[in-house]
Amino acid sequence: KHLIKQWAHLRLATSMLALGRGTQDVRTNNIRRVVFYPEFKIAYNRIAKSGNSSVLLYLYDAMAGGIQGDGETFNACKREATAAGIDLFQLTRDWDRVLSLRKYVFFTVVRNPWSRTLSAFLDKVAKAESDKYAMAAGYGDDSVEGFVSFLRFLDNGGLHVNHHWRPQSALLLLPKERFDHICRLEALAEDLPRALSGTGLALPHSGRLQRPHPIEASRAGKITQATERMRHYYTSEALDLVSRMYASDFHLGGYSDDPGSIGLA
């Protein structure tokens, strides 16, 4: 009975979202990746390793009136920030909220695949801090060879094993064209305020938005500096693998798949 009830709720939630956004292509496996903020009519599709933690924290700051979580751990602050919104299941329990789905600003934040892929390796695989990433080649090997081994692992069936390196296009709840805004992490200071300009949400000044949230930055090792380290880790083989495996992500964010665009031959 529990499974039948859960299935019925899932059907209702996806049907209401499909009606509200004018599409039948609702990817149910990504339902939990979207946070809804009914008070501001905002829906944020979270994407791992694309500024997700900082965006959640900055949104929470804006809603709560200032930086939150003094003295708390990063994980506790992130949980609190996520809990400031609701998921699609919770939203569809309120009919008035369901009827207002058309009015929501749907947005996501994407990242250049060159830096996102390296960041996933440095943060989750090379550091070897959690056994749940031990299945990835290059685990515990923070070297150029380790990175190439990791990419070969992705190319041989590991690309969708974990959401930290799964293509960003595969983490969207709706098709790209059904989003109001696709923000780019590299231009977050301009893109995010533009996306949320009509919501009444007062975001931090642009200088702060372009940097990781202070709470995230305070966690040792959380910021990988992947963009600045690409020249060291990318070999010719690595460039070829990333440009091919993440072709859909280059298209999603309008990024160039030419290594020259990031200063690499």
Side-chain angles (χ1 to χ4, degrees), residues 23-49:
T23 178
Q24 293 301 311
D25 187 4
V26 179
R27 297 141 191 188
T28 55
N29 57 313
N30 290 329
I31 278 183
R32 300 290 187 185
R33 303 214 61 78
V34 178
V35 182
F36 292 85
Y37 302 95
E39 181 181 354
F40 297 94
K41 299 295 186 293
I42 296 171
Y44 168 43
N45 196 138
R46 302 181 298 111
I47 293 180
K49 303 309 299 176

Side-chain angles (χ1 to χ4, degrees), residues 9-154:
H9 194 183
L10 175 64
R11 288 295 301 271
L12 172 64
T14 55
S15 297
M16 293 299 96
L17 180 61
L19 181 63
R21 300 304 296 181
T23 178
Q24 293 301 311
D25 187 4
V26 179
R27 297 141 191 188
T28 55
N29 57 313
N30 290 329
I31 278 183
R32 300 290 187 185
R33 303 214 61 78
V34 178
V35 182
F36 292 85
Y37 302 95
E39 181 181 354
F40 297 94
K41 299 295 186 293
I42 296 171
Y44 168 43
N45 196 138
R46 302 181 298 111
I47 293 180
K49 303 309 299 176
S50 295
N52 171 55
S53 298
S54 282
V55 172
L56 283 171
L57 290 164
Y58 279 130
L59 288 174
Y60 186 46
D61 286 350
M63 294 173 189
I67 292 180
Q68 307 299 304
D70 290 343
E72 296 184 57
T73 65
F74 164 75
N75 288 334
C77 290
K78 184 177 177 180
R79 284 194 298 269
E80 186 176 344
T82 306
I86 60 177
D87 63 24
L88 183 61
F89 294 115
Q90 294 169 302
L91 184 140
T92 51
R93 292 174 186 151
D94 185 317
W95 189 247
D96 288 336
R97 289 176 174 175
V98 170
L99 293 177
S100 67
L101 270 172
R102 291 180 183 272
K103 301 177 182 179
Y104 272 70
V105 173
F106 272 72
F107 82 97
T108 190
V109 178
V110 298
R111 183 178 184 179
N112 194 317
W114 298 119
S115 60
R116 179 177 180 259
T117 309
L118 178 57
S119 181
F121 168 72
L122 294 174
D123 184 33
K124 303 301 179 183
V125 179
K127 290 194 298 188
E129 292 182 346
S130 174
D131 289 345
K132 64 182 178 181
Y133 305 110
M135 77 298 192
Y139 185 74
D141 183 3
D142 186 0
S143 68
V144 174
E145 293 75 17
F147 182 49
V148 174
S149 295
F150 170 66
L151 295 177
R152 290 171 182 163
F153 159 76
L154 301 187

Side-chain angles (χ1 to χ4, degrees), residues 216-233:
E216 181 177 18
S218 67
R219 184 185 181 189
K222 186 70 172 66
I223 307 302
T224 62
Q225 303 288 340
T227 301
E228 291 76 19
R229 302 169 71 182
M230 287 191 290
R231 187 178 296 276
H232 172 70
Y233 284 91

Side-chain angles (χ1 to χ4, degrees), residues 202-227:
L203 292 167
H205 61 80
S206 60
R208 181 185 295 174
L209 279 177
Q210 201 52 64
R211 300 191 299 270
H213 191 281
I215 292 175
E216 181 177 18
S218 67
R219 184 185 181 189
K222 186 70 172 66
I223 307 302
T224 62
Q225 303 288 340
T227 301

